[in-house]
Amino acid sequence: MLDHSVLVLNQNYEPLNICHVRRALTLLYQSRAEMLENGYGYIHTANRDVPIPSVIRLPYLVKRPYHIARKISRAEIYNRDQFTCQYCGKQTKQLTLDHVIPRYRGGQHTWENVVSACAPCNRRKAGRTPEEANMKLHKVPAPPQVSRYAYIPMHYMKQRAEWERYFPH
Ligand SMILES: [Zn+2]
C-alpha cells in the first residue's frame, strides 16, 4: 500500500509527477504538500487514523520547460507528421524526407524545413520550392509539440478515477 501511486500537482493544480504513498506521507508530515484526495483509506495508528493520499499538491510553483527540443531524425519527422504526406495528405509508411527549400538552394536540415512526403510527391516537387512546383504544404512545419505532462507516462493518467479531473482534455 505504501507503494501505491500518488498524483503530485503543482501549486497551480497542474499535474507534475507521480510518487509513492510513502513519499507523499513524508511530504504531508513535513507540511511540504497538502492532501487533495484521500483515495486509499486510512492507516490506523495508536493515536489517530492517518488518511492515505492519492492526490497531493505542492505549496510552491515548480517551473519546468514545456517544450523539450528533440533531435531531428527521420523517425521523428514521420511521427510529427503522423505518417502523412505533407503535400497530398496521403497516409502511408512509404515516406521520404523532403526539404521544403531544397538543400542545394540553402535549405536547412531543421524541423522548419523538413517534411514527410510520399515518393510521387517528392518526385513531382523535385528540386523546386513548393511555390515553384505549385504544391501546397498541409501545415507549416515546426518542432514537435510535447505533452504538457511529458513527465507523466500516458498510461498513468487513467490509472485512478479520482485523478481524471486533474487532467484537462
Ligand atoms: Zn504525396
Side-chain angles (χ1 to χ4, degrees):
M1 183 262 294
L2 289 175
D3 290 327
H4 285 345
S5 300
V6 176
L7 178 63
V8 182
L9 301 182
N10 213 339
Q11 192 238 347
N12 61 5
Y13 290 90
E14 284 188 349
L16 193 61
N17 58 35
I18 311 273
C19 74
H20 288 150
V21 165
R22 189 190 314 272
R23 167 86 180 143
L25 286 172
T26 304
L27 289 172
L28 291 172
Y29 181 74
Q30 296 172 340
S31 300
R32 289 161 64 200
E34 65 165 326
M35 186 179 76
L36 295 187
E37 304 276 349
N38 165 5
Y40 300 110
Y42 293 84
I43 297 174
H44 305 286
T45 69
N47 298 324
R48 63 197 185 105
D49 292 340
V50 180
I52 306 167
S54 81
V55 181
I56 62 172
R57 171 180 170 240
L58 302 180
Y60 52 89
L61 194 65
V62 176
K63 289 200 179 149
R64 55 197 180 120
Y66 282 142
H67 300 279
I68 303 162
R70 280 203 264 179
K71 207 165 173 294
I72 186 169
S73 72
R74 181 174 295 271
E76 291 284 356
I77 292 282
Y78 293 166
N79 270 312
R80 180 199 64 185
D81 297 340
Q82 297 176 300
F83 289 88
T84 305
C85 172
Q86 292 302 292
Y87 294 105
C88 70
K90 186 182 166 196
Q91 208 165 27
T92 172
K93 299 268 179 192
Q94 310 291 322
L95 285 169
T96 61
L97 291 185
D98 173 64
H99 290 89
V100 179
I101 307 293
R103 296 213 79 173
Y104 77 97
R105 291 169 63 176
Q108 303 279 302
H109 190 68
T110 58
W111 291 110
E112 292 82 5
N113 193 51
V114 180
V115 296
S116 310
C118 71
C121 284
N122 207 332
R123 272 198 301 274
R124 191 178 137 210
K125 178 169 174 283
R128 297 176 293 177
T129 66
E131 292 75 30
E132 289 165 356
N134 198 23
M135 295 166 77
K136 201 168 154 30
L137 278 169
H138 269 230
K139 55 177 194 278
V140 178
Q145 294 287 302
V146 172
S147 161
R148 296 165 78 195
Y149 314 122
Y151 298 103
I152 302 178
M154 282 301 284
H155 63 271
Y156 271 116
M157 294 187 192
K158 296 195 160 114
Q159 188 167 322
R160 295 194 58 84
E162 75 268 19
W163 289 9
E164 272 179 27
R165 80 181 79 163
Y166 299 104
F167 290 106
H169 299 293

